[in-house]
Amino acid sequence: MTALSGTIPVFASLEGAPIALKAWILGMLENMGMPEPFLMLVSIQLSILGFFSVFLLLFVLASWFERKILARIQNRRGPNRVGPAGLLQPIADGIKMLTKEDIVPVAADKVLHACAPVLIILPAFLAMAILPYGKNMTPVELEVGILLFFAVSTATELAVFMAGWASLNKFSMLGAMRAVAQILSYELPLILAATSVVMITGSLSLTAMVEAQGGYLLGILPNWHVFTPWGFAAFAMFFISALAESNRTPFDLPEGESELVAGHMTEYSGFKYALFFISEYLGLYVVCGFAVALFLGGWQAPLPFLTFIPSWIWFFAKILCLVFVAMWIRGTFPRVRVDHLMNFAWKFVIPLGVMVLVSAAVWHLAGRGPLGWILSLPPLLIPYWLMARAYGRNYDAGGRVYRFAE
Amino acid sequence: MNPPSETGSPSPNPAESPRYRTAGYDSDAQLLEVSLGPQHPSTHGVFRMNVALDGEDVVKLKPVFGYLHRNHEQIAEQVSYLGSMPYTDRLDYFCSLSNNWAYAAAVEKLAGIDVPERAEYIRVITSELTRLVNHTSFLGFMLSDMGAWGTVLMYAFREREKILDLFESLTGSRMMGNYMRFGGCRCDLPPGWLEQARKVVDGYPAFLDEMESLIATNEIVISRTQRIGRLPADKAVNGSMTGPCLRASGVNYDIRKVDRYGIYDRFEFRVPLGDHGDCYDRLMIRFLEMRETLKILRPALRDIPEGPVMDPKARQRNLRPPEGEAYARVEAPKGELGFYLISDASDKPYRYRVRPPSLINLTLLEDLCLGEKIADVMVILGTIDIVLGEVDR
């Protein structure tokens, strides 16, 4: 807390507000004579309830936000009928989803078909437990947080494949096969990008990673990983792979609507479909949350005189910025093809990921200063330039010249 | 898991078809037969493709159409000559005015009717505007097929609306013009129409520049279209492909230049030709064609003379052309649109036949798609640019 927070007491009290609220409820229950073991349970439940409700609210907002943003990108107005500026549109959608008939194909494997949507939403919630939302606000403090994230996020592909297989629909099956191939190949660059951070901070705990990014260079520049050569490359890799992991445009091949109708979700309707939809957004929030924690300084304020704003507000603001970028990309780019996606992962991103590790090591050995800047750039830029050239050689990237007949 | 084969091929296993074997695939491979359509997000209507897939590769593709068959040609033989004019709007519903022109030209040829000069100018202006409408929405639909979530489509529709407004004030309808008549046009231009049209035409280059900068150098678009669905010139000619798709393969064949019908010989314009014949060329040829179309529209809107829009001697109702036959064709936005009529001197055509560019271009679909990925099928189908109203009639 700087001197400023003293002058604005609202912010100072907001900083610990979520924790204070929990302590107040627990204290009230203790006064009412609730036994100790129950208090433990209630404490856990309160944390779970907290981030469940926050994220579900964020999901509701995101679906409105996304439609509005896409509409602005596309010269439209977007939802503006239900509630002020269409804000209640997600609620109307929710009612629609809940009242729709739940159709299960006759030939489908009914148990798996029902399990898949439930299973797909679990990993996102599990991964949420270890995110550092603010100062002293990590629901589950794990020494190996980042490992849990990778273990859990891989589990989504199981649910996706389950959905595709159980639907007994060819579009679902093709979509599920694509999804598994895609998630498997983008898991690697995701891990490589995160490994560079682990190398630099020397810890697998997300809280330690965020704390390592505290402080300001020259008193003004935030000491975030993204502002280092290796960190920037790793962040770009992480974000691209995160888009692929959460099936966002331009990597939305598994549900590539122009060829596969809706991929693994083709045979789902009603609330089961809504669960897929929710899990997609929650997944996006989670990977963006990890990107923020790893590279964008987590809950640290971007400028030293802004530290009076509570840390958790910074965390969510940064997540929303990244989510906005993902929506922006969705409104702008066409979809890549499945083999291009694989080529890109295995022949471009993963080799570059290895070079990021080299660069991070050089950065560390050169003393993390100006010398590090000079020495850690070549191992990144030279392979990048070489690979980009080899990649572009297959295409007439500069456009073509056309003949004209009179 | 596989439902019974619905391709109607004599051998149930598509791996045994000769085409499949020549494609160099192992006939032991397990194939997945997928029926894309008739209700599918990107088949542009009720069109169906039976595709056999080896993984993601297309080894066999059979287009199935006829879901939108409306018996257009038979109906036209049961009604008067004028009676089928509104039906021609519904062939290619993006380009109703060039359809009108092709049919009117066929009847005029059959009955020997002249067209006044002002009407000729109006015909050129409207059908070139139609070309802008068609190619603009083509870009939008194609990028949506590629997964661009409608952004390009919305940009394209913003521009298309301006031209549709022009059509509305001229013909009374935004899409179904029903405007041309034998020996001219139904009514004269409304006051101020030319001004408005000039404004639209003058604003178009800026839009085209914007679209081209968005699309032509986008890495994903390039990787999705270049070297995909290549059509060699000889194959295109043998398949009697016409229109922008043929010219993208490098064949210089534009009926506006070949026949010089109407008053097209008065305008300076060039025919853009592609060298590769792939999806990227088919995409870019449309851009270049729109720029050339603007070169026709500007002088046409400037030079249009005053005068009648209808030949006073021409009859619309109870038209009984002398016995004989006539074939008239125009360069519709999608290719050669021709109408073939036989008259037995009665008030109805004895035989009425449409040569639809969409249908004939579509017959080459399998040749274009073999060996490509399933995702490319949609892009290739998009670049052929079909309208099911015209394919099925």
Short mmCIF file of all heavy atoms in Angstrom, two decimals, chain A residues 73-75 170-171 178 249 252 257-259 330-331 334-335 337-340 394-396 400 402-406, chain B residues 33 36 40-42 56 145-146 149 151 154 158 223-224 226-228 252 270-271 273 275 278 281 284 376 378:
data_model
loop_
_atom_site.label_atom_id
_atom_site.label_comp_id
_atom_site.label_asym_id
_atom_site.label_seq_id
_atom_site.Cartn_x
_atom_site.Cartn_y
_atom_site.Cartn_z
N ILE A 73 -17.72 -4.84 -34.38
CA ILE A 73 -16.75 -5.14 -35.44
C ILE A 73 -17.47 -5.29 -36.77
O ILE A 73 -16.95 -4.90 -37.81
CB ILE A 73 -15.97 -6.43 -35.08
CG1 ILE A 73 -15.04 -6.16 -33.91
CG2 ILE A 73 -15.16 -6.93 -36.26
CD1 ILE A 73 -14.35 -7.38 -33.38
N GLN A 74 -18.67 -5.82 -36.73
CA GLN A 74 -19.38 -6.12 -37.97
C GLN A 74 -20.40 -5.05 -38.36
O GLN A 74 -21.32 -5.34 -39.11
CB GLN A 74 -20.12 -7.46 -37.84
CG GLN A 74 -19.19 -8.61 -37.59
CD GLN A 74 -19.92 -9.88 -37.37
OE1 GLN A 74 -21.15 -9.90 -37.27
NE2 GLN A 74 -19.19 -10.98 -37.31
N ASN A 75 -20.27 -3.84 -37.84
CA ASN A 75 -21.19 -2.78 -38.22
C ASN A 75 -22.63 -3.06 -37.83
O ASN A 75 -23.55 -2.68 -38.54
CB ASN A 75 -21.19 -2.58 -39.73
CG ASN A 75 -20.02 -1.77 -40.18
OD1 ASN A 75 -19.72 -0.78 -39.54
ND2 ASN A 75 -19.39 -2.18 -41.23
N LYS A 170 -21.44 -38.69 -37.53
CA LYS A 170 -20.13 -38.60 -38.19
C LYS A 170 -19.50 -37.23 -38.00
O LYS A 170 -18.30 -37.12 -37.87
CB LYS A 170 -20.29 -38.89 -39.68
CG LYS A 170 -20.59 -40.35 -39.92
CD LYS A 170 -20.95 -40.58 -41.36
CE LYS A 170 -21.29 -42.03 -41.55
NZ LYS A 170 -21.75 -42.28 -42.90
N PHE A 171 -20.33 -36.20 -38.00
CA PHE A 171 -19.78 -34.86 -37.78
C PHE A 171 -19.18 -34.77 -36.39
O PHE A 171 -18.10 -34.21 -36.20
CB PHE A 171 -20.86 -33.80 -37.95
CG PHE A 171 -21.39 -33.70 -39.34
CD1 PHE A 171 -22.72 -33.92 -39.61
CD2 PHE A 171 -20.54 -33.41 -40.39
CE1 PHE A 171 -23.20 -33.83 -40.90
CE2 PHE A 171 -21.00 -33.31 -41.67
CZ PHE A 171 -22.34 -33.53 -41.93
N ARG A 178 -10.61 -34.27 -34.44
CA ARG A 178 -9.84 -33.04 -34.63
C ARG A 178 -9.48 -32.42 -33.29
O ARG A 178 -8.37 -31.96 -33.09
CB ARG A 178 -10.68 -32.03 -35.39
CG ARG A 178 -10.68 -32.23 -36.86
CD ARG A 178 -11.45 -31.10 -37.46
NE ARG A 178 -11.54 -31.24 -38.90
CZ ARG A 178 -12.06 -30.30 -39.67
NH1 ARG A 178 -12.53 -29.21 -39.14
NH2 ARG A 178 -12.11 -30.46 -40.97
N THR A 249 -11.59 -19.19 -32.33
CA THR A 249 -11.14 -18.75 -33.64
C THR A 249 -9.73 -18.19 -33.50
O THR A 249 -9.48 -17.49 -32.53
CB THR A 249 -12.06 -17.63 -34.16
OG1 THR A 249 -13.39 -18.04 -33.96
CG2 THR A 249 -11.83 -17.35 -35.62
N ASP A 252 -10.93 -22.84 -34.23
CA ASP A 252 -12.16 -23.48 -33.79
C ASP A 252 -12.53 -24.65 -34.71
O ASP A 252 -13.69 -24.85 -35.05
CB ASP A 252 -13.30 -22.46 -33.72
CG ASP A 252 -13.49 -21.72 -35.01
OD1 ASP A 252 -12.55 -21.73 -35.81
OD2 ASP A 252 -14.55 -21.14 -35.24
N GLU A 257 -17.96 -24.82 -38.14
CA GLU A 257 -19.36 -24.93 -38.52
C GLU A 257 -19.51 -25.06 -40.02
O GLU A 257 -20.47 -25.66 -40.48
CB GLU A 257 -20.18 -23.77 -37.95
CG GLU A 257 -20.23 -22.60 -38.88
CD GLU A 257 -21.40 -21.68 -38.61
OE1 GLU A 257 -22.21 -21.95 -37.72
OE2 GLU A 257 -21.49 -20.69 -39.32
N SER A 258 -18.55 -24.51 -40.82
CA SER A 258 -18.81 -24.58 -42.24
C SER A 258 -18.63 -25.97 -42.80
O SER A 258 -19.18 -26.28 -43.84
CB SER A 258 -17.97 -23.57 -43.00
OG SER A 258 -16.64 -23.64 -42.60
N GLU A 259 -17.87 -26.84 -42.12
CA GLU A 259 -17.84 -28.20 -42.65
C GLU A 259 -18.44 -29.23 -41.69
O GLU A 259 -19.05 -30.17 -42.13
CB GLU A 259 -16.43 -28.59 -43.08
CG GLU A 259 -15.37 -28.60 -42.00
CD GLU A 259 -14.57 -27.32 -41.95
OE1 GLU A 259 -14.99 -26.35 -42.59
OE2 GLU A 259 -13.54 -27.29 -41.28
N ARG A 330 -11.60 -13.33 -32.94
CA ARG A 330 -12.72 -14.08 -33.48
C ARG A 330 -13.47 -13.29 -34.55
O ARG A 330 -13.94 -13.84 -35.53
CB ARG A 330 -13.68 -14.45 -32.36
CG ARG A 330 -14.85 -15.23 -32.87
CD ARG A 330 -15.75 -15.63 -31.74
NE ARG A 330 -16.92 -16.29 -32.28
CZ ARG A 330 -17.96 -16.61 -31.55
NH1 ARG A 330 -17.97 -16.34 -30.27
NH2 ARG A 330 -18.98 -17.20 -32.09
N GLY A 331 -13.57 -11.97 -34.34
CA GLY A 331 -14.28 -11.17 -35.31
C GLY A 331 -13.46 -10.87 -36.55
O GLY A 331 -13.99 -10.29 -37.49
N PRO A 334 -10.34 -15.67 -40.41
CA PRO A 334 -10.97 -16.93 -40.83
C PRO A 334 -10.31 -18.10 -40.10
O PRO A 334 -9.33 -17.92 -39.37
CB PRO A 334 -10.70 -17.01 -42.33
CG PRO A 334 -9.80 -15.90 -42.67
CD PRO A 334 -9.47 -15.12 -41.44
N ARG A 335 -10.84 -19.28 -40.35
CA ARG A 335 -10.38 -20.48 -39.64
C ARG A 335 -9.21 -21.11 -40.39
O ARG A 335 -9.20 -21.12 -41.61
CB ARG A 335 -11.55 -21.45 -39.59
CG ARG A 335 -11.31 -22.68 -38.79
CD ARG A 335 -12.54 -23.56 -38.86
NE ARG A 335 -13.71 -22.87 -38.37
CZ ARG A 335 -14.83 -22.72 -39.05
NH1 ARG A 335 -14.95 -23.22 -40.26
NH2 ARG A 335 -15.85 -22.08 -38.53
N ARG A 337 -6.80 -24.43 -41.46
CA ARG A 337 -7.16 -25.79 -41.82
C ARG A 337 -6.45 -26.75 -40.88
O ARG A 337 -5.42 -26.41 -40.30
CB ARG A 337 -6.74 -26.05 -43.26
CG ARG A 337 -7.66 -26.95 -44.01
CD ARG A 337 -7.24 -27.01 -45.43
NE ARG A 337 -5.96 -27.69 -45.55
CZ ARG A 337 -5.28 -27.73 -46.69
NH1 ARG A 337 -5.74 -27.13 -47.76
NH2 ARG A 337 -4.15 -28.37 -46.75
N VAL A 338 -6.96 -27.98 -40.79
CA VAL A 338 -6.47 -28.87 -39.73
C VAL A 338 -5.01 -29.21 -39.94
O VAL A 338 -4.23 -29.23 -38.99
CB VAL A 338 -7.37 -30.11 -39.63
CG1 VAL A 338 -7.37 -30.94 -40.87
CG2 VAL A 338 -6.99 -30.93 -38.43
N ASP A 339 -4.56 -29.42 -41.18
CA ASP A 339 -3.14 -29.78 -41.36
C ASP A 339 -2.24 -28.57 -41.18
O ASP A 339 -1.11 -28.69 -40.70
CB ASP A 339 -2.92 -30.45 -42.71
CG ASP A 339 -3.43 -29.61 -43.85
OD1 ASP A 339 -4.42 -28.89 -43.63
OD2 ASP A 339 -2.86 -29.65 -44.95
N HIS A 340 -2.75 -27.37 -41.53
CA HIS A 340 -1.96 -26.17 -41.28
C HIS A 340 -1.78 -25.97 -39.78
O HIS A 340 -0.72 -25.54 -39.32
CB HIS A 340 -2.65 -24.94 -41.87
CG HIS A 340 -2.75 -24.97 -43.35
ND1 HIS A 340 -3.62 -24.20 -44.06
CD2 HIS A 340 -2.09 -25.72 -44.27
CE1 HIS A 340 -3.48 -24.45 -45.33
NE2 HIS A 340 -2.57 -25.37 -45.48
N ASN A 394 6.08 -21.45 -49.32
CA ASN A 394 5.06 -22.24 -50.01
C ASN A 394 4.01 -21.39 -50.67
O ASN A 394 3.20 -21.90 -51.44
CB ASN A 394 4.36 -23.16 -49.00
CG ASN A 394 5.31 -24.17 -48.42
OD1 ASN A 394 6.25 -24.56 -49.08
ND2 ASN A 394 5.07 -24.56 -47.18
N TYR A 395 3.97 -20.11 -50.37
CA TYR A 395 2.86 -19.28 -50.84
C TYR A 395 3.38 -18.04 -51.55
O TYR A 395 4.49 -17.59 -51.29
CB TYR A 395 1.98 -18.86 -49.66
CG TYR A 395 1.44 -20.02 -48.91
CD1 TYR A 395 1.94 -20.37 -47.67
CD2 TYR A 395 0.45 -20.81 -49.47
CE1 TYR A 395 1.47 -21.47 -47.01
CE2 TYR A 395 -0.04 -21.91 -48.80
CZ TYR A 395 0.48 -22.24 -47.57
OH TYR A 395 0.00 -23.32 -46.91
N ASP A 396 2.54 -17.50 -52.42
CA ASP A 396 2.84 -16.20 -53.01
C ASP A 396 2.30 -15.16 -52.05
O ASP A 396 1.24 -14.58 -52.25
CB ASP A 396 2.15 -16.04 -54.38
CG ASP A 396 2.36 -17.26 -55.24
OD1 ASP A 396 3.41 -17.90 -55.07
OD2 ASP A 396 1.49 -17.58 -56.06
N ARG A 400 -0.37 -11.73 -56.11
CA ARG A 400 0.00 -12.17 -57.45
C ARG A 400 -0.26 -11.06 -58.45
O ARG A 400 -1.04 -10.15 -58.20
CB ARG A 400 -0.83 -13.39 -57.85
CG ARG A 400 -0.46 -14.63 -57.10
CD ARG A 400 -1.41 -15.74 -57.47
NE ARG A 400 -1.06 -16.97 -56.75
CZ ARG A 400 -1.86 -18.02 -56.71
NH1 ARG A 400 -3.02 -18.00 -57.31
NH2 ARG A 400 -1.47 -19.10 -56.07
N TYR A 402 -1.77 -10.18 -62.11
CA TYR A 402 -2.73 -10.80 -63.03
C TYR A 402 -2.61 -10.21 -64.41
O TYR A 402 -2.28 -9.04 -64.58
CB TYR A 402 -4.16 -10.63 -62.48
CG TYR A 402 -4.38 -11.53 -61.31
CD1 TYR A 402 -4.12 -11.09 -60.02
CD2 TYR A 402 -4.80 -12.83 -61.49
CE1 TYR A 402 -4.28 -11.92 -58.94
CE2 TYR A 402 -4.97 -13.68 -60.41
CZ TYR A 402 -4.71 -13.22 -59.15
OH TYR A 402 -4.86 -14.06 -58.08
N ARG A 403 -2.90 -11.07 -65.39
CA ARG A 403 -2.89 -10.61 -66.79
C ARG A 403 -4.25 -10.02 -67.12
O ARG A 403 -5.26 -10.35 -66.50
CB ARG A 403 -2.65 -11.79 -67.72
CG ARG A 403 -1.28 -12.42 -67.61
CD ARG A 403 -1.16 -13.52 -68.62
NE ARG A 403 -1.91 -14.70 -68.24
CZ ARG A 403 -2.68 -15.40 -69.08
NH1 ARG A 403 -2.85 -15.01 -70.32
NH2 ARG A 403 -3.32 -16.48 -68.66
N PHE A 404 -4.28 -9.19 -68.13
CA PHE A 404 -5.55 -8.66 -68.60
C PHE A 404 -5.62 -8.84 -70.11
O PHE A 404 -4.64 -8.58 -70.80
CB PHE A 404 -5.67 -7.16 -68.28
CG PHE A 404 -5.87 -6.89 -66.83
CD1 PHE A 404 -4.80 -6.63 -66.00
CD2 PHE A 404 -7.14 -6.89 -66.29
CE1 PHE A 404 -4.98 -6.40 -64.66
CE2 PHE A 404 -7.33 -6.64 -64.95
CZ PHE A 404 -6.25 -6.39 -64.13
N ALA A 405 -6.76 -9.30 -70.58
CA ALA A 405 -6.97 -9.36 -72.02
C ALA A 405 -7.83 -8.17 -72.41
O ALA A 405 -8.76 -7.82 -71.69
CB ALA A 405 -7.66 -10.66 -72.40
N GLU A 406 -7.51 -7.55 -73.51
CA GLU A 406 -8.30 -6.39 -73.93
C GLU A 406 -9.65 -6.82 -74.49
O GLU A 406 -9.79 -7.87 -75.07
CB GLU A 406 -7.54 -5.59 -75.01
CG GLU A 406 -6.39 -4.79 -74.40
CD GLU A 406 -6.86 -3.81 -73.33
OE1 GLU A 406 -7.95 -3.24 -73.48
OE2 GLU A 406 -6.12 -3.62 -72.34
N GLU B 33 -17.98 -42.36 -45.06
CA GLU B 33 -18.86 -41.66 -45.99
C GLU B 33 -19.68 -40.65 -45.22
O GLU B 33 -20.36 -41.00 -44.26
CB GLU B 33 -19.80 -42.65 -46.67
CG GLU B 33 -19.22 -43.22 -47.93
CD GLU B 33 -20.23 -44.06 -48.67
OE1 GLU B 33 -21.28 -43.51 -49.03
OE2 GLU B 33 -19.98 -45.25 -48.85
N LEU B 36 -22.88 -34.47 -46.70
CA LEU B 36 -22.93 -33.04 -46.35
C LEU B 36 -24.15 -32.45 -47.02
O LEU B 36 -24.21 -32.32 -48.22
CB LEU B 36 -21.66 -32.34 -46.83
CG LEU B 36 -20.34 -32.78 -46.22
CD1 LEU B 36 -19.20 -32.17 -46.97
CD2 LEU B 36 -20.28 -32.38 -44.78
N HIS B 40 -27.27 -28.12 -44.39
CA HIS B 40 -25.93 -27.98 -43.88
C HIS B 40 -25.60 -26.50 -43.92
O HIS B 40 -26.02 -25.80 -44.83
CB HIS B 40 -24.98 -28.80 -44.77
CG HIS B 40 -23.59 -28.89 -44.22
ND1 HIS B 40 -22.68 -27.91 -44.43
CD2 HIS B 40 -22.98 -29.84 -43.48
CE1 HIS B 40 -21.55 -28.24 -43.82
NE2 HIS B 40 -21.71 -29.41 -43.25
N PRO B 41 -24.86 -26.01 -42.94
CA PRO B 41 -24.67 -24.56 -42.86
C PRO B 41 -24.03 -23.94 -44.10
O PRO B 41 -24.28 -22.79 -44.40
CB PRO B 41 -23.75 -24.38 -41.66
CG PRO B 41 -23.81 -25.63 -40.91
CD PRO B 41 -24.25 -26.71 -41.81
N SER B 42 -23.17 -24.66 -44.80
CA SER B 42 -22.45 -23.94 -45.85
C SER B 42 -22.58 -24.59 -47.22
O SER B 42 -21.65 -24.56 -48.00
CB SER B 42 -21.00 -23.79 -45.48
OG SER B 42 -20.47 -25.03 -45.19
N GLU B 56 -9.05 -37.00 -43.27
CA GLU B 56 -9.65 -35.72 -43.64
C GLU B 56 -9.62 -35.52 -45.15
O GLU B 56 -10.10 -34.53 -45.65
CB GLU B 56 -8.90 -34.57 -42.97
CG GLU B 56 -9.05 -34.52 -41.47
CD GLU B 56 -9.98 -33.40 -41.02
OE1 GLU B 56 -10.30 -32.52 -41.83
OE2 GLU B 56 -10.40 -33.43 -39.85
N ASP B 145 -17.69 -19.07 -45.26
CA ASP B 145 -17.44 -20.50 -45.38
C ASP B 145 -16.08 -20.87 -44.81
O ASP B 145 -15.86 -21.96 -44.33
CB ASP B 145 -17.44 -20.92 -46.86
CG ASP B 145 -18.83 -20.98 -47.42
OD1 ASP B 145 -19.76 -20.90 -46.61
OD2 ASP B 145 -18.98 -21.10 -48.65
N MET B 146 -15.16 -19.91 -44.90
CA MET B 146 -13.83 -20.15 -44.38
C MET B 146 -13.79 -19.96 -42.88
O MET B 146 -12.75 -20.16 -42.26
CB MET B 146 -12.88 -19.16 -45.06
CG MET B 146 -11.67 -19.79 -45.64
SD MET B 146 -10.68 -18.48 -46.30
CE MET B 146 -11.09 -18.57 -47.98
N TRP B 149 -16.75 -15.81 -39.46
CA TRP B 149 -17.81 -15.37 -38.55
C TRP B 149 -18.60 -14.16 -39.04
O TRP B 149 -19.02 -13.33 -38.24
CB TRP B 149 -17.24 -15.05 -37.17
CG TRP B 149 -16.98 -16.28 -36.42
CD1 TRP B 149 -15.77 -16.85 -36.19
CD2 TRP B 149 -17.94 -17.14 -35.82
NE1 TRP B 149 -15.92 -17.99 -35.50
CE2 TRP B 149 -17.23 -18.20 -35.25
CE3 TRP B 149 -19.33 -17.13 -35.73
CZ2 TRP B 149 -17.86 -19.25 -34.59
CZ3 TRP B 149 -19.94 -18.16 -35.07
CH2 TRP B 149 -19.22 -19.19 -34.50
N THR B 151 -17.95 -11.35 -40.44
CA THR B 151 -17.49 -9.96 -40.47
C THR B 151 -17.42 -9.45 -41.90
O THR B 151 -17.93 -8.39 -42.23
CB THR B 151 -16.12 -9.85 -39.79
OG1 THR B 151 -16.23 -10.39 -38.49
CG2 THR B 151 -15.70 -8.41 -39.71
N MET B 154 -20.81 -8.99 -43.42
CA MET B 154 -21.52 -7.77 -43.04
C MET B 154 -20.97 -6.57 -43.79
O MET B 154 -21.72 -5.70 -44.21
CB MET B 154 -21.38 -7.54 -41.54
CG MET B 154 -22.19 -8.51 -40.72
SD MET B 154 -23.94 -8.28 -41.01
CE MET B 154 -24.56 -9.88 -40.54
N ARG B 158 -23.24 -4.39 -46.38
CA ARG B 158 -23.42 -2.95 -46.24
C ARG B 158 -23.37 -2.30 -47.62
O ARG B 158 -24.17 -1.44 -47.95
CB ARG B 158 -22.29 -2.41 -45.36
CG ARG B 158 -22.34 -0.93 -45.10
CD ARG B 158 -21.08 -0.47 -44.41
NE ARG B 158 -19.91 -0.66 -45.26
CZ ARG B 158 -18.66 -0.63 -44.83
NH1 ARG B 158 -18.42 -0.48 -43.54
NH2 ARG B 158 -17.65 -0.81 -45.65
N SER B 223 -3.24 -19.13 -47.08
CA SER B 223 -2.93 -20.55 -46.90
C SER B 223 -4.15 -21.42 -47.18
O SER B 223 -4.01 -22.58 -47.49
CB SER B 223 -2.40 -20.80 -45.49
OG SER B 223 -3.43 -20.62 -44.55
N ARG B 224 -5.34 -20.86 -47.04
CA ARG B 224 -6.53 -21.67 -47.30
C ARG B 224 -6.90 -21.70 -48.78
O ARG B 224 -7.72 -22.53 -49.19
CB ARG B 224 -7.74 -21.12 -46.53
CG ARG B 224 -7.69 -21.28 -45.05
CD ARG B 224 -7.90 -22.67 -44.56
NE ARG B 224 -9.03 -23.37 -45.12
CZ ARG B 224 -10.22 -23.46 -44.55
NH1 ARG B 224 -10.44 -22.89 -43.42
NH2 ARG B 224 -11.18 -24.17 -45.12
N GLN B 226 -4.55 -20.55 -51.69
CA GLN B 226 -3.53 -20.75 -52.72
C GLN B 226 -3.21 -22.23 -52.87
O GLN B 226 -3.03 -22.94 -51.89
CB GLN B 226 -2.26 -19.96 -52.37
CG GLN B 226 -2.45 -18.49 -52.67
CD GLN B 226 -1.19 -17.70 -52.54
OE1 GLN B 226 -0.14 -18.22 -52.19
NE2 GLN B 226 -1.27 -16.40 -52.80
N ARG B 227 -3.11 -22.67 -54.12
CA ARG B 227 -2.84 -24.07 -54.50
C ARG B 227 -3.93 -25.02 -54.04
O ARG B 227 -3.71 -26.21 -53.92
CB ARG B 227 -1.50 -24.53 -53.93
CG ARG B 227 -0.41 -23.59 -54.34
CD ARG B 227 0.92 -24.04 -53.82
NE ARG B 227 1.90 -23.02 -54.17
CZ ARG B 227 3.19 -23.21 -54.18
NH1 ARG B 227 3.67 -24.38 -53.87
NH2 ARG B 227 4.01 -22.24 -54.51
N ILE B 228 -5.09 -24.52 -53.77
CA ILE B 228 -6.21 -25.37 -53.38
C ILE B 228 -7.21 -25.40 -54.54
O ILE B 228 -7.53 -24.35 -55.10
CB ILE B 228 -6.92 -24.83 -52.13
CG1 ILE B 228 -5.95 -24.70 -50.95
CG2 ILE B 228 -8.10 -25.69 -51.76
CD1 ILE B 228 -5.41 -25.98 -50.46
N ASN B 252 -9.23 -16.90 -71.90
CA ASN B 252 -9.79 -15.58 -72.20
C ASN B 252 -11.13 -15.76 -72.88
O ASN B 252 -11.21 -15.90 -74.10
CB ASN B 252 -8.81 -14.80 -73.08
CG ASN B 252 -9.36 -13.44 -73.47
OD1 ASN B 252 -10.32 -12.97 -72.88
ND2 ASN B 252 -8.75 -12.82 -74.44
N ARG B 270 -11.26 -4.35 -69.57
CA ARG B 270 -10.35 -5.46 -69.81
C ARG B 270 -10.88 -6.69 -69.12
O ARG B 270 -11.74 -6.62 -68.24
CB ARG B 270 -8.97 -5.12 -69.26
CG ARG B 270 -8.38 -3.85 -69.85
CD ARG B 270 -7.10 -3.49 -69.14
NE ARG B 270 -7.30 -3.24 -67.72
CZ ARG B 270 -6.31 -3.10 -66.85
NH1 ARG B 270 -5.07 -3.21 -67.24
NH2 ARG B 270 -6.56 -2.88 -65.58
N VAL B 271 -10.37 -7.85 -69.54
CA VAL B 271 -10.79 -9.11 -68.93
C VAL B 271 -9.64 -9.64 -68.11
O VAL B 271 -8.60 -10.00 -68.66
CB VAL B 271 -11.19 -10.13 -70.01
CG1 VAL B 271 -11.64 -11.42 -69.38
CG2 VAL B 271 -12.27 -9.56 -70.90
N LEU B 273 -7.34 -12.20 -66.14
CA LEU B 273 -7.10 -13.63 -66.28
C LEU B 273 -6.14 -14.11 -65.20
O LEU B 273 -5.17 -13.43 -64.89
CB LEU B 273 -6.49 -13.94 -67.65
CG LEU B 273 -7.31 -13.54 -68.86
CD1 LEU B 273 -6.51 -13.77 -70.12
CD2 LEU B 273 -8.60 -14.33 -68.91
N ASP B 275 -3.51 -17.20 -63.59
CA ASP B 275 -2.54 -18.14 -64.15
C ASP B 275 -2.57 -19.49 -63.46
O ASP B 275 -2.12 -20.48 -64.01
CB ASP B 275 -1.13 -17.56 -64.03
CG ASP B 275 -0.90 -16.48 -65.05
OD1 ASP B 275 -1.44 -16.61 -66.17
OD2 ASP B 275 -0.20 -15.50 -64.75
N ASP B 278 -6.40 -21.62 -59.12
CA ASP B 278 -6.74 -22.13 -57.79
C ASP B 278 -7.77 -21.21 -57.13
O ASP B 278 -8.24 -20.24 -57.74
CB ASP B 278 -5.49 -22.27 -56.92
CG ASP B 278 -4.72 -20.97 -56.82
OD1 ASP B 278 -5.22 -19.95 -57.32
OD2 ASP B 278 -3.63 -20.98 -56.24
N ASP B 281 -6.96 -17.48 -57.09
CA ASP B 281 -7.19 -16.79 -58.36
C ASP B 281 -8.68 -16.53 -58.57
O ASP B 281 -9.07 -15.45 -59.01
CB ASP B 281 -6.66 -17.63 -59.52
CG ASP B 281 -5.19 -17.35 -59.76
OD1 ASP B 281 -4.65 -16.50 -59.04
OD2 ASP B 281 -4.61 -17.97 -60.66
N MET B 284 -9.52 -13.55 -56.46
CA MET B 284 -8.98 -12.26 -56.89
C MET B 284 -9.57 -11.81 -58.21
O MET B 284 -9.72 -10.61 -58.45
CB MET B 284 -7.45 -12.34 -57.00
CG MET B 284 -6.75 -12.54 -55.68
SD MET B 284 -7.24 -11.34 -54.44
CE MET B 284 -6.51 -9.86 -55.10
N ASP B 376 -11.49 -27.94 -47.30
CA ASP B 376 -11.31 -27.23 -48.57
C ASP B 376 -12.53 -27.36 -49.46
O ASP B 376 -12.75 -26.52 -50.33
CB ASP B 376 -10.10 -27.78 -49.32
CG ASP B 376 -8.82 -27.47 -48.60
OD1 ASP B 376 -8.79 -26.45 -47.91
OD2 ASP B 376 -7.88 -28.26 -48.71
N MET B 378 -15.53 -26.89 -48.82
CA MET B 378 -16.41 -25.75 -48.64
C MET B 378 -15.84 -24.51 -49.32
O MET B 378 -16.56 -23.73 -49.92
CB MET B 378 -16.58 -25.45 -47.15
CG MET B 378 -17.20 -26.57 -46.41
SD MET B 378 -18.73 -27.04 -47.18
CE MET B 378 -18.93 -28.66 -46.52
#
